[in-house]
Amino acid sequence: MSSRAKTAVLTGAVVLFALIAVAGVFLLRGAEQTGPLVVIDAGHGGGTSGVGVDGVREEEFNLAIAKKLRSELTRRGYRVIMTRTTDSRVATATIPTWRWVGLKKRLWAFGVNTSLNERAAASHSDLQSRVDIANAANADVFVSVHNNASRKPEIRGTQTFAARGDKAGRALAASIQDGVVARTSSENHGAGGSGFYVCRWTNMPAVLVECGYFTNAEDVAALKSPRYQARVAEGIADGIDRWRISYPLTAKEPQIAAENPVALAAAVSAKAHPDGGGVAVVMPADQPALGPPASALAALLGAPLLLSERATLPT
């Protein structure tokens, strides 16, 4: 690539990155720590989760466990960033996200999706904002803390997921699953692959831990206990510790490298979906200044350049 093209791409990155910036995010770093950087994501927030036994909300358990995990990892020498520390959403505005577009040929495109209703758009934006935090921080590990639900109230236990194409993440999920079950004696539903948004679009080994079922009375009784929450956190930390023996982070290259956030997300898409999914660059037609950098970015990615009136995704 010529120096002029590289300059154009980097110039475009500055402009495009502004489009995906997230306001109102609380970042907590362990200032005195020097170990690997872990982003802890307390799932949901702001009244967006389901209601379970005794009227409990998943997001409350998620945050309580995430805070204890922060304390445990900090104690073990890790650096930590929290995506949220209060009962609130992470994103405060609608931001560009990823989705499939196209009829004859499916493409991954990045932009604001105006075909979504307000609630769905807010949910997608919230997920992307969590991904943005981890990618911008160049984190070593991403852990999203959740609790599960089922229409069958007798189902209980723990399960951990990673993106299907993430070999290191799958190993991390298995290690964390073993760690939590060992500490809590929770029913073991194993570790598996998934298409969860926060695992797919993060540029580091990423997992989503379903610590228990907030629709099961026994799990809820346990999850209400601060001591049990601490044991869950200890189990997650144990899993990360053991996983690092097989995947020494100091020797690892970034899972996927790219020159800017948009190219990074495109590269993650291509790696996570080897079944033919492509990438499209979406550019607002009313901002001609973005033309040269957007064209250079499309050329860099080998992707089509799609014009949109309001930086939205075409249908």
Side-chain angles (χ1 to χ4, degrees), residues 58-126:
E58 178 199 350
E59 57 200 4
E60 297 172 0
F61 289 147
N62 298 347
L63 183 58
I65 294 170
K67 286 182 175 180
K68 286 180 171 56
L69 178 58
R70 176 185 62 186
S71 298
E72 183 64 23
L73 289 176
T74 301
R75 186 183 68 80
R76 299 186 188 200
Y78 291 86
R79 294 172 294 144
V80 173
I81 291 176
M82 297 277 287
T83 61
R84 71 179 180 96
T85 59
T86 60
D87 182 19
S88 61
R89 292 179 181 269
V90 176
T92 58
T94 300
I95 62 175
T97 59
W98 285 93
R99 72 159 181 159
W100 283 108
V101 296
L103 297 176
K104 294 183 179 180
K105 182 179 180 182
R106 297 204 301 173
L107 296 171
W108 282 107
F110 182 74
V112 175
N113 182 3
T114 57
S115 67
L116 296 174
N117 60 42
E118 184 177 351
R119 181 176 180 180
S123 177
H124 284 216
S125 298
D126 207 51

Side-chain angles (χ1 to χ4, degrees), residues 140-141 167-173 175-176 205 238-249 252:
D140 295 300
V141 174
K167 181 179 178 180
R170 293 288 293 271
L172 175 60
S175 184
I176 286 178
D238 290 344
I240 297 174
D241 281 346
R242 284 196 297 268
W243 171 80
R244 287 179 59 200
I245 297 173
S246 299
Y247 289 87
L249 297 176
K252 282 176 61 65

Side-chain angles (χ1 to χ4, degrees), residues 185-238:
S185 299
S186 175
E187 187 170 324
N188 189 351
H189 291 286
S194 77
F196 288 133
Y197 196 100
V198 293
C199 293
R200 173 187 292 164
W201 300 110
T202 40
N203 187 38
M204 69 286 304
V207 298
L208 186 147
V209 187
E210 299 280 11
C211 303
Y213 277 78
F214 64 94
T215 51
N216 175 270
E218 292 177 82
D219 273 3
V220 166
L223 289 166
K224 285 181 176 179
S225 164
R227 179 62 194 125
Y228 186 85
Q229 295 168 5
R231 289 204 298 269
V232 173
E234 290 162 3
I236 295 173
D238 290 344

Side-chain angles (χ1 to χ4, degrees), residues 37-51:
L37 175 59
V38 179
V39 168
I40 302 174
D41 172 42
H44 301 287
T48 60
S49 69
V51 179

